[in-house]
Amino acid sequence: MQLVVARIGRAHGIKGEVTVEVRTDEPELRLGPGAVLHTDPASAGPLTIESGRVHSGRLLLRFEGVRDRNGAEALRNTLLIAEVDPDELPEEEDEYYDHQLVDLDVVLADGTEIGVISEISHLPSQDLFIVERPDGSEVMIPFVSEIVTEIDLENQRAVITPPPGLIDDREAVVASARDAEQDGEDAGQGSGAENDADADKDADAEKGAS
């Protein structure tokens, strides 16, 4: 099975290095020296990684046969693709490969169907499930434990507990209205307490006068 593990960015320096947008949780394994990767477009590869290093928080790679900035810049936006055994599992518990997650049914805790995972989007801050809903629309769900509470590969489903508004914008409106109503009640209670205090002060003043 082929998996996209990185996208080549801009050239770095003049000796053929390129920046890389990593799309794998195991860059040491997939993007190490000696790794041979297919490419998209196919005409750009295959590419063999000669060396790699981290610079200012970004992974830099150099490929065999690419020796100058022009050669590196020609590879810009090329996808790097690794061959992966479909039965292979990540080393860390609670980690998953994209192919394990794509096509999972997304449901709420009560079993309500939300849609099907069509794609995994890897952002610098977090991963997102791109979920296709029955009506053809899409919703993005952050792949974080507070929202995705269970990945059940045996039953091919992902269980989520979304905050108001993530799945249905109307839920956000209802939640906002509820909060506003509660704020109004709290303000009313505060006003009543102040009036009671003022009444007590008036009563005390009358006693003092008598």
Side-chain angles (χ1 to χ4, degrees):
M1 170 174 279
Q2 295 187 329
L3 295 178
V4 175
V5 292
R7 182 182 68 85
I8 297 176
R10 59 184 177 80
H12 178 85
I14 61 173
K15 297 183 178 180
E17 285 186 312
V18 295
T19 61
V20 172
E21 176 190 310
V22 177
R23 297 188 180 182
T24 173
D25 292 330
E26 300 173 312
E28 300 86 358
L29 175 64
R30 307 297 179 197
L31 301 171
V36 180
L37 302 168
H38 298 286
T39 60
D40 182 7
S43 58
L47 294 172
T48 301
I49 297 176
E50 182 176 285
S51 63
R53 64 188 179 96
V54 176
H55 174 74
S56 298
R58 297 293 300 272
L59 178 62
L60 303 180
L61 295 180
R62 180 183 285 115
F63 301 101
E64 292 183 3
V66 179
R67 293 288 178 239
D68 57 31
R69 187 178 184 86
N70 289 337
E73 193 62 37
L75 295 173
R76 190 167 187 170
N77 292 323
T78 297
L79 297 178
L80 299 177
I81 303 169
E83 287 284 351
V84 177
D85 184 338
D87 295 326
E88 181 181 333
L89 297 176
E91 295 180 357
E92 297 294 328
E93 187 177 357
D94 295 331
E95 287 188 359
Y96 304 91
Y97 291 135
D98 287 7
H99 72 271
Q100 295 177 291
L101 300 172
V102 171
D103 291 335
L104 292 186
D105 293 325
V106 178
V107 300
L108 301 180
D110 63 4
T112 301
E113 295 184 3
I114 301 301
V116 176
I117 298 175
S118 61
E119 182 184 347
I120 311 298
S121 178
H122 298 280
L123 303 180
S125 58
Q126 64 185 6
D127 294 337
L128 293 174
F129 289 166
I130 309 301
V131 177
E132 183 175 344
R133 307 203 65 181
D135 62 3
S137 63
E138 290 185 340
V139 60
M140 293 182 291
I141 298 176
F143 187 17
V144 295
S145 58
E146 294 82 2
I147 297 176
V148 182
T149 58
E150 180 184 2
I151 298 294
D152 185 351
L153 295 180
E154 182 177 352
N155 293 304
Q156 288 291 286
R157 68 175 192 167
V159 181
I160 65 170
T161 305
L166 181 63
I167 302 300
D168 191 338
D169 291 340
R170 289 172 297 179
E171 295 178 357
V173 174
V174 172
S176 297
R178 187 184 305 118
D179 292 341
E181 182 180 343
Q182 183 62 45
D183 291 342
E185 292 177 357
D186 292 343
Q189 292 173 356
S191 176
E194 291 175 0
N195 290 337
D196 291 343
D198 291 340
D200 291 342
K201 288 179 180 179
D202 292 341
D204 292 339
E206 290 177 1
K207 289 180 182 179
S210 62

